[in-house]
Amino acid sequence: MFDFTNVLQLVQSLEMLQLLGVNRVVVYKTSCSPETQRILDYYTHKGLVEVIPWSLSKFINVSRGWLPSHGPGDIHYLGQIPALNDCLYRYMYQSKYVALHDIDELILPQSVNSWLKLLPQLEKKYGADQCYMFENNVFPITVTLPPPTSQTLPLQNHHWQNVSGVNILAHLYHEPIIPETHYSNFKIIVNPRAVYRATVHGLLKSVKGCAWVDRNIARMYHTRDPRQPKLTPNQLIYDGRLLSYSTHLIPAVNTVLRENGLLPEDSIQ
């Protein structure tokens, strides 16, 4: 997390992770807005979030982009790879599983509703102590389309538009899968005791290697800037899986925003 201002998506993601069965979220933080810090403090007090200060720029010249051409430095992208490996070793004997992904990414099961039910399925199908790799599906934030006529959007709080950040429930169409996003921009869930070295996407060294998870079992929902900006709206693919969580997600998000002074007290529950 650096120069982070995406408050709404942060709250939505943290509430979604709890719905999926996650009981600890670790944030490696370089810098963020005051509103973001308020949310981090709130969830830290609740016991969900642990913030690890990650200010390597105080000691070395860090790159501020994922490519060297984006900005030269002595270490890649504010120390992203060391942060991932720190997380694995720090929680190796505290967590049965660790998921390594960003705030704008959610790994959603397709036939069950939580990771608690998903992970036994993966162990049975692909084997235990594997690294499970999830296909990346990009939901561009530049496109807002209504669902097909057979679907209806749940009632959301119109005050969300006054909160900084992206509303993931407004972006339900993903780009077609291409090799560049499928095979290189995936993220993982792993038993940390079976890992020696991690990188941004996947592992460099582990006990039993990695397995691709069938997209019909689970896949990653990445709500972000488009990867294929030349696509027309009719080339995008509708996926309303996220809406199945909305009955619980929307009131939970409203509560957090209201308790942090980001929604009016009299806004809808």
Side-chain angles (χ1 to χ4, degrees):
M1 177 180 284
F2 66 97
D3 297 344
F4 192 90
T5 61
N6 191 354
V7 172
L8 181 56
Q9 190 168 8
L10 172 63
V11 174
Q12 290 177 330
S13 292
L14 290 174
E15 292 302 318
M16 273 298 305
L17 288 170
Q18 290 181 90
L19 292 175
L20 290 168
V22 172
N23 54 21
R24 174 62 59 90
V25 177
V26 182
V27 176
Y28 284 74
K29 191 197 79 171
T30 299
S31 57
C32 67
S33 67
E35 292 79 12
T36 299
Q37 187 61 53
R38 194 186 317 170
I39 295 298
L40 292 176
D41 291 343
Y42 172 87
Y43 281 107
T44 299
H45 180 72
K46 294 281 189 182
L48 174 70
V49 166
E50 180 176 354
V51 177
I52 307 293
W54 203 249
S55 301
L56 302 185
S57 57
K58 293 180 179 178
F59 309 100
I60 59 176
N61 179 29
V62 300
S63 169
R64 296 182 66 84
W66 66 275
L67 284 175
S69 59
H70 293 168
D74 299 321
I75 195 168
H76 170 259
Y77 208 9
L78 293 102
Q80 182 182 20
I81 294 175
L84 293 166
N85 284 279
D86 179 270
C87 183
L88 280 171
Y89 281 92
R90 186 182 294 257
Y91 300 99
M92 186 169 281
Y93 295 102
Q94 298 182 44
S95 304
K96 184 174 181 179
Y97 283 99
V98 170
L100 300 176
H101 63 78
D102 298 332
I103 289 294
D104 60 0
E105 298 167 332
L106 288 168
I107 295 168
L108 296 187
Q110 299 298 301
S111 60
V112 295
N113 289 325
S114 73
W115 289 0
L116 301 178
K117 295 180 180 178
L118 171 67
L119 287 162
Q121 287 185 345
L122 300 183
E123 290 177 350
K124 183 176 181 180
K125 183 174 178 63
Y126 301 105
D129 296 336
Q130 289 269 9
C131 153
Y132 304 119
M133 304 184 296
F134 298 88
E135 177 188 88
N136 182 28
N137 292 258
V138 174
F139 290 74
I141 61 175
T142 53
V143 177
T144 304
L145 295 171
T149 53
S150 59
Q151 299 282 331
T152 57
L153 278 174
L155 180 64
Q156 299 170 46
N157 195 322
H158 69 277
H159 291 289
W160 284 5
Q161 64 189 0
N162 299 322
V163 180
S164 172
V166 172
N167 175 13
I168 60 176
L169 294 176
H171 307 287
L172 303 174
Y173 288 78
H174 68 81
E175 298 175 351
I177 299 300
I178 56 175
E180 289 79 3
T181 56
H182 182 186
Y183 295 107
S184 61
N185 290 83
F186 62 92
K187 292 297 171 68
I188 64 172
I189 297 178
V190 67
N191 169 3
R193 293 164 300 285
V195 178
Y196 298 110
R197 290 201 305 273
T199 186
V200 180
H201 304 289
L203 302 176
L204 295 177
K205 187 178 180 183
S206 63
V207 174
K208 291 189 176 180
C210 296
W212 278 107
V213 174
D214 187 315
R215 64 174 279 111
N216 295 313
I217 296 175
R219 52 186 181 262
M220 189 172 76
Y221 291 59
H222 195 177
T223 310
R224 51 154 291 163
D225 293 328
R227 286 295 305 273
Q228 304 174 62
K230 294 184 180 180
L231 291 176
T232 59
N234 64 355
Q235 291 176 297
L236 299 177
I237 303 162
Y238 175 74
D239 185 333
R241 174 65 175 146
L242 196 58
L243 296 182
S244 64
Y245 296 91
S246 60
T247 300
H248 300 288
L249 176 64
I250 292 172
V253 170
N254 285 335
T255 297
V256 174
L257 295 176
R258 191 180 301 107
E259 291 183 357
N260 283 277
L262 299 172
L263 286 185
E265 287 295 330
D266 59 351
S267 60
I268 62 172
Q269 296 297 317

